[in-house]
């Protein structure tokens, strides 16, 4: 069966299979037109996926590291050779992302498969200094079994590849549960896995009930989740009840500090992308701005000038700002902006639905000044095209207010003062800190948050360790009776009142 957006399907490598559930339309957030249909997985589809995954993993875990790496390089080759035009267009029409961002995300996932192919070959265990002469003592790493990957809508392909590549390299089979809003593009992408053994990778559409069923199953053994804090907590609790390891990336409300030593032209340009990339629907979007008083007004002028130049429209047109993913997403943004304005904030730009885009879930990129730390827009994750600016007296106050949050995913700083850069890296309570270049990631460095923003890490060595467990091994190649084995010699006891005590 070939994949068609008009026929609900799920994927068990290498085949698409029809689904029996009730059709649910996929709506374009820019035009409100129907893009295609999906259906939630039922018990029979879940059973088919887990049966295939269990069988495939039994053979996959026995492969040597070099053979496994060869398979992952074949996936990377398939990504580099594929034409992803349709996949990118589906993503744009499903969730509103501008086409250059969609095609870039989809086409640039090959390196993560190559990275983990070689990382797993290079890092398969550890030989420790022995605690006993004649004893060989080491740790080996082994896969969990079948991993579940519960994906978000904002970067459905990239974030899926991050954890799937690591899990496959560790020796697991993978079951992908895509976000409902980006099911079609995720399914379309599955063809890159066709060189892998049958059943090793599956894609199972559905909502929360499907995710819950996969987490609860005794035939799954590890979970990777990216999404909201509330859903992340639910996933963590469900995994804890089953002693099942999980990686949770639960979003945030990232701070961005503009120091009095900031290169303001560069800071303004970088802030536009940090705040408004993907219409602000990025977990690491800069939402809370702390601008030192000495440069506040000049920075706001430059920031606003660049923001007003952004083009709003359908992601298939020449645009930077597409629609929000849904009516509910826009409603949350509007609630937080309206509340801030009602409490004294000023909308320097935006603060409204663009008059030329009444159809679809559009919202103008918005800069708010006069924001105070007690406002809801500072306390909650907005996840929309809004930069909330607080004026602060100095760098220390900026750091203090940046840390005054339940979240701790990323944090950004613009400064040319080396001391401030190092101070920020040390003092900011976040899993990632960017100085003068926000939102950058690196396959070889851990990605994840502190506090309510998550548990565990993706990418880097830690991203591989998330999908494998260690086993300590002790081998004495010259068996001998040890002096500490039972029975103890009498000389080990002491006598007290006619009784011997150890």
């Amino acid at each position: 069966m070939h994949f068609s957006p008009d026929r609900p399907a799920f994927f068990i490598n290498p085949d698409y299979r029809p689904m029996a559930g009730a059709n649910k339309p996929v709506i374009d957030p820019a035009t409100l037109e129907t893009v295609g249909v999906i259906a939630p997985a039922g018990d029979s589809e879940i059973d088919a996926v887990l049966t295939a995954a269990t069988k495939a993993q039994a053979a996959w875990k026995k492969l040597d590291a070099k053979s496994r790496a060869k398979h992952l390089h074949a996936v990377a080759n398939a990504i580099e050779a594929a034409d992803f035009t349709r996949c990118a267009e589906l993503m744009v029409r499903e969730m509103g992302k501008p086409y250059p961002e969609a095609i870039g995300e989809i086409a640039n996932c090959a390196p993560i498969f190559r990275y983990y192919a070689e990382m797993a070959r290079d890092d398969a265990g550890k030989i420790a200094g022995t605690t006993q002469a004649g004893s060989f003592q080491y740790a080996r790493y082994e896969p969990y079994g079948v991993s579940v990957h519960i994906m978000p809508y904002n970067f459905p392909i990239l974030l899926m590849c991050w954890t799937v590549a690591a899990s496959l390299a560790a020796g697991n089979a993978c079951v992908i549960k895509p976000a409902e809003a980006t099911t079609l593009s995720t399914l379309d992408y599955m063809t890159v896995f066709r060189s892998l053994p049958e059943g090793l990778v599956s894609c199972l559409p559905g909502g929360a009930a499907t995710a819950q069923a996969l987490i609860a199953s005794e035939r799954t053994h590890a979970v990777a989740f990216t999404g909201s804090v509330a859903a992340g907590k639910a996933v963590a609790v469900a995994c804890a009840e089953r002693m099942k390891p999980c990686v949770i990336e639960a979003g945030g409300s990232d701070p961005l500090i503009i120091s009095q030593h900031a290169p303001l032209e560069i800071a303004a340009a970088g802030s536009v992308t940090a705040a408004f990339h993907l219409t602000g629907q990025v977990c690491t979007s800069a939402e809370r701005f702390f601008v030192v008083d000495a440069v506040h007004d000049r920075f706001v002028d430059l920031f606003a000038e660049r923001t007003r130049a952004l083009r709003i429209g359908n992601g298939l047109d020449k645009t930077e700002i597409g629609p929000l993913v849904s009516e509910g997403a826009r409603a949350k943004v509007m609630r937080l902006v309206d509340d801030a304005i009602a409490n004294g904030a000023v909308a320097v730009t935006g603060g409204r639905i663009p008059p030329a885009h009444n159809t679809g879930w559009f919202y103008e990129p918005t800069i708010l000044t006069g924001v105070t730390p007690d406002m809801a827009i500072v306390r909650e994750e907005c996840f929309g095209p809004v930069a909330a600016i607080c004026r602060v007296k100095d760098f220390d106050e900026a750091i203090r207010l940046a840390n005054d949050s339940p979240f701790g995913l990323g944090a950004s700083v613009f400064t040319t003062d080396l001391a401030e850069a190092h101070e920020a890296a040390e003092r900011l309570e976040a899993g990632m800190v960017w100085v003068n270049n926000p939102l950058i990631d690196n396959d070889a460095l851990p990605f994840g948050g502190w506090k309510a923003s998550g548990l565990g890490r993706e990418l880097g060595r830690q991203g591989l360790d998330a999908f494998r467990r260690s086993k300590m091994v002790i081998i004495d190649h010259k068996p001998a009776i040890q002096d500490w084995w039972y029975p103890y010699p009498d000389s080990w006891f002491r006598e007290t009142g006619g009784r011997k005590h150890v």
Side-chain angles (χ1 to χ4, degrees):
M1 173 183 175
H2 294 289
F3 174 64
S4 170
D6 300 320
R7 295 194 304 269
F10 69 113
F11 179 83
I12 299 178
N13 191 51
D15 299 320
Y16 293 98
R17 304 184 186 185
M19 299 189 75
N23 289 5
K24 178 179 180 180
V26 176
I27 305 301
D28 185 331
T31 65
L32 305 188
E33 297 172 352
T34 299
V35 179
V37 291
I38 58 175
D43 291 343
S44 62
E45 286 106 352
I46 293 173
D47 179 69
V49 162
L50 295 181
T51 298
T54 301
K55 180 180 179 181
Q57 197 270 334
W60 181 248
K61 70 179 180 181
K62 295 177 183 177
L63 280 184
D64 62 275
K66 184 177 180 180
S67 297
R68 224 183 270 162
K70 184 177 179 180
H71 276 289
L72 294 184
H73 283 298
V75 172
N77 292 342
I79 293 170
E80 290 172 347
D83 179 359
F84 290 118
T85 302
R86 183 176 81 153
C87 187
E89 289 177 351
L90 281 172
M91 188 186 293
V92 174
R93 297 192 65 207
E94 283 183 300
M95 58 78 64
K97 177 178 292 194
Y99 182 83
E101 295 169 24
I103 195 69
E105 171 188 348
I106 290 168
N108 291 320
C109 294
I112 192 66
F113 287 94
R114 300 202 191 281
Y115 173 78
Y116 278 123
E118 297 308 315
M119 169 67 82
R121 285 212 309 145
D122 185 64
D123 185 13
K126 176 188 177 184
I127 298 173
T130 185
T131 60
Q132 193 169 294
S135 182
F136 180 42
Q137 303 179 354
Y138 66 97
R140 55 178 285 131
Y141 301 125
E142 299 183 6
Y144 283 108
V146 176
S147 58
V148 177
H149 304 256
I150 303 168
M151 293 292 100
Y153 66 81
N154 55 350
F155 294 98
I157 304 300
L158 179 68
L159 299 187
M160 177 264 290
C161 288
W162 282 6
T163 57
V164 166
S167 186
L168 289 171
N172 302 289
C174 298
V175 178
I176 299 154
K177 206 297 289 178
E180 287 187 282
T182 44
T183 295
L184 298 179
S185 53
T186 304
L187 280 169
D188 194 77
Y189 196 79
M190 290 297 107
T191 56
V192 303
F193 296 114
R194 280 181 162 158
S195 63
L196 293 175
E198 181 178 347
L200 192 64
V201 173
S202 300
C203 183
L204 197 61
T210 303
Q212 290 163 1
L214 290 170
I215 294 169
S217 173
E218 294 182 357
R219 291 187 286 172
T220 67
H221 311 94
V223 176
F225 169 86
T226 300
S228 70
V229 171
K233 288 179 179 178
V235 169
V237 168
C239 289
E241 288 176 341
R242 295 160 180 84
M243 297 295 282
K244 193 171 291 188
C246 59
V247 178
I248 306 291
E249 201 268 86
S253 179
D254 281 9
L256 190 153
I257 294 171
I258 304 294
S259 154
Q260 66 177 341
H261 304 293
L264 292 184
E265 292 279 359
I266 294 170
S271 294
V272 170
T273 295
F276 305 130
H277 182 61
L278 192 54
T279 318
Q281 297 171 116
V282 181
C283 299
T284 51
S285 287
E287 297 192 1
R288 299 177 296 130
F289 281 65
F290 300 99
V291 183
V292 171
D293 180 69
V295 297
H296 178 278
D297 293 350
R298 177 61 178 156
F299 170 76
V300 170
D301 288 344
L302 293 169
F303 187 21
E305 180 183 358
R306 287 184 173 272
T307 297
R308 293 188 186 102
L310 298 178
R311 294 164 290 189
I312 303 171
N314 191 314
L316 293 175
D317 299 329
K318 292 180 179 179
T319 183
E320 289 82 31
I321 305 295
L324 287 139
V325 71
S326 67
E327 183 178 16
R330 186 176 70 175
K332 179 181 181 181
V333 173
M334 292 172 66
R335 171 179 64 81
L336 291 171
V337 170
D338 292 347
D339 174 79
I341 292 172
N343 284 284
V346 175
V348 176
T349 69
R352 63 177 186 170
I353 296 169
H357 297 281
N358 289 323
T359 300
W361 312 124
F362 292 94
Y363 196 76
E364 290 186 357
T366 299
I367 298 172
L368 298 176
T369 57
V371 174
T372 55
D374 58 332
M375 291 182 181
I377 201 162
V378 175
R379 308 310 304 174
E380 299 181 31
E381 181 179 27
C382 180
F383 220 62
V386 183
I389 298 179
C390 298
R391 187 192 293 261
V392 295
K393 64 180 180 180
D394 56 26
F395 189 74
D396 279 341
E397 184 180 25
I399 294 281
R400 179 179 64 80
L401 292 176
N403 289 339
D404 182 19
S405 171
F407 304 105
L409 189 54
S412 298
V413 178
F414 279 93
T415 182
T416 56
D417 185 293
L418 184 61
E420 287 182 341
H422 283 292
E423 280 281 302
E426 180 178 335
R427 294 169 58 192
L428 284 168
E429 297 171 359
M432 297 162 287
V433 175
W434 296 282
V435 178
N436 298 329
N437 195 356
L439 306 185
I440 297 298
D441 56 64
N442 182 332
D443 291 347
L445 293 175
F447 183 100
W450 290 15
K451 299 188 279 190
S453 289
L455 299 169
R457 290 294 181 268
E458 300 169 1
L459 302 181
R461 158 71 185 270
Q462 291 170 272
L464 181 62
D465 286 344
F467 295 100
R468 58 187 190 174
R469 48 193 166 187
S470 63
K471 177 186 289 180
M472 185 183 78
V473 180
I474 308 292
I475 299 176
D476 278 22
H477 59 279
K478 291 183 177 180
I481 294 175
Q482 304 296 321
D483 61 5
W484 59 273
W485 292 358
Y486 283 0
Y488 296 138
D490 286 350
S491 62
W492 284 23
F493 294 83
R494 63 186 178 90
E495 295 188 10
T496 306
R499 293 179 298 172
K500 290 183 178 181
H501 299 274
V502 176

